[in-house]
Amino acid sequence: MTDRPRVFVTRNLPGSALDLLRQTCEVAVWPDELPPPPGELRREAAPSSGLLTLLTDRIDDALLSAAPNLVAVSNMATGYDNVDVDAATRRLVLVSRTPGVLTETTADLAFGLLLAAARRIAEGDRYVRAGHWRTWGPEIMLGPDVHGATLGIIGLGRIGAAVARRAAGFAMRILYTSRTRKPDAEKDLDATHTDLDTLLRESDFVSVHAALTDDTRGLIGARQLGLMKPGAVLVNTARGPLVDQDALYEALRSGSIAGAALDVTDPEPLRADSPLLALDNVVITPHIASASVATRSEMARLAAENLLASLAGDVNDNVVNPEIAADWRAARPGRLAG
Ligand code: GLV
């Protein structure tokens, strides 16, 4: 490449990612904590060859059509449901993501949320702060045991498997559903493959780790919640719209399940008047599963590397639409690395 491509980064990033981009690119960074509004994003995308985006940025056909120079979008997340990949593919824009680097950190939070909901940790903290703690009581704040319970994992990918490894330390029985069976995981994790209904009926804890697609939106609705045990706890660290939130509210309110722990909601942020906020049996965190210092720097670095690779026509495993590689290269011979 002879010219320095312009890239737009939709938020300031931790670690060395921006320096890495600045070595070879003209870099513009959105300075605010909140995402650029759609009009600003379009204005910044219009002259850019590359975008480094977050899951709060909608990369849709309208945005892509306003950015004729765009060749690559690098999403700093493992999920990419904020990007219209079909539209990007039609326009020969490479889309990449940051899988792998956040697996263990995300599993830490999922397991932490599971423990918090079961053992009423956040609720106990509120109770103490509100001045309700008057004595040690044999019936105060009782919850289910985690050790030895059955954990159902919906989606045994990298993160689901990492949650299962943690559960093994708690002597939990592990059930899972997945698009494809995972014989290695079944052996290594002593996990049993079931259909979704069986998993929901038999699990004491259900942890959701599916990608959000047209097929999985609303995967856990009223019927599915109705199959769960009255003492069961639902944990969602994947995407809010996988769970029908109104149905979840009703299940939690009526006691048809015991609790929930959500790092993701629909919408995000959760509306201030969401009825979920009035319930004590739900723990909610603000989409922070990957938010360790080291992991966020790693995600940013990988997103920057992915963007540089894609700008040079180098289609690595993190690209989600690699099928356009040949057409991309044919359309932009001047951009090829080397
Ligand atoms: C976070 O939700 C991610 O997809 O990385």
Side-chain angles (χ1 to χ4, degrees):
M1 266 188 288
T2 50
D3 58 332
R4 285 168 65 82
R6 182 188 200 272
V7 300
F8 178 58
V9 182
T10 65
R11 229 68 56 77
N12 208 9
L13 301 178
S16 58
L18 292 174
D19 289 339
L20 183 63
L21 290 173
R22 285 184 182 118
Q23 286 172 16
T24 50
C25 303
E26 293 306 321
V27 181
V29 180
W30 183 251
D32 293 348
E33 185 191 351
L34 295 179
E40 291 293 328
L41 184 55
R42 262 200 304 280
R43 203 173 56 75
E44 291 287 0
S48 298
S49 302
L51 297 179
L52 195 155
T53 55
L54 309 185
L55 49 84
T56 46
D57 304 311
R58 272 240 70 72
I59 309 301
D60 54 16
D61 198 45
L63 183 279
L64 293 167
S65 73
N69 301 319
L70 199 65
V71 298
V73 172
S74 168
N75 208 39
M76 186 183 132
T78 190
Y80 49 96
D81 46 284
N82 58 309
V83 181
D84 183 340
V85 177
D86 289 342
T89 297
R90 281 196 304 276
R91 294 176 188 276
L92 296 184
V93 172
L94 291 169
V95 177
S96 56
R97 66 190 189 113
T98 60
V101 292
L102 46 71
T103 303
E104 301 297 331
T105 301
T106 301
D108 285 348
L109 190 93
F111 212 80
L113 283 178
L114 183 157
L115 286 166
R119 299 306 310 277
R120 304 173 68 172
I121 294 173
E123 188 188 350
D125 181 76
R126 284 195 296 276
Y127 179 86
V128 172
R129 287 170 198 270
H132 297 320
W133 185 18
R134 294 187 303 153
T135 181
W136 186 94
E139 292 188 305
I140 291 176
M141 294 253 148
L142 307 188
D145 272 322
V146 174
H147 68 270
T150 297
L151 171 63
I153 296 181
I154 299 178
L156 198 71
R158 287 186 183 87
I159 297 170
V163 170
R165 285 197 296 279
R166 282 154 182 75
F170 283 69
M172 296 178 92
R173 170 179 172 238
I174 295 161
L175 307 178
Y176 80 96
T177 63
S178 203
R179 273 171 308 178
T180 54
R181 260 183 96 150
K182 310 278 168 82
D184 288 347
E186 289 181 25
K187 200 149 44 72
D188 298 347
L189 304 167
D190 201 12
T192 303
H193 183 262
T194 68
D195 58 82
L196 181 59
D197 284 6
T198 306
L199 180 147
L200 293 166
R201 275 196 201 96
E202 294 194 11
S203 297
D204 302 301
F205 297 91
V206 173
S207 193
V208 184
H209 300 284
L212 177 62
T213 65
D214 289 344
D215 293 336
T216 60
R217 190 174 295 275
L219 181 68
I220 305 296
R223 189 186 77 76
Q224 289 73 17
L225 290 161
L227 296 175
M228 289 174 67
K229 294 180 181 179
V233 170
L234 179 73
V235 181
N236 187 7
T237 52
R239 286 292 183 268
L242 293 166
V243 176
D244 176 338
Q245 212 160 266
D246 294 338
L248 176 63
Y249 169 76
E250 196 41 42
L252 290 167
R253 191 202 56 77
S254 66
S256 96
I257 67 169
L262 310 174
D263 186 49
V264 289
T265 59
D266 181 20
E268 290 183 11
L270 196 60
R271 277 199 272 272
D273 63 354
S274 168
L276 283 177
L277 294 171
L279 296 178
D280 259 335
N281 55 348
V282 56
V283 181
I284 307 174
T285 49
H287 205 146
I288 54 170
S290 64
S292 76
V293 176
T295 291
R296 283 288 167 83
S297 293
E298 270 303 285
M299 289 168 71
R301 183 196 55 75
L302 183 56
E305 281 180 8
N306 285 343
L307 186 55
L308 293 174
S310 290
L311 286 170
D314 172 7
V315 178
N316 66 28
D317 285 350
N318 298 330
V319 171
V320 302
N321 55 351
E323 68 278 10
I324 65 171
D327 290 345
W328 190 105
R329 292 184 185 122
R332 296 146 183 153
R335 285 204 166 273
L336 299 183

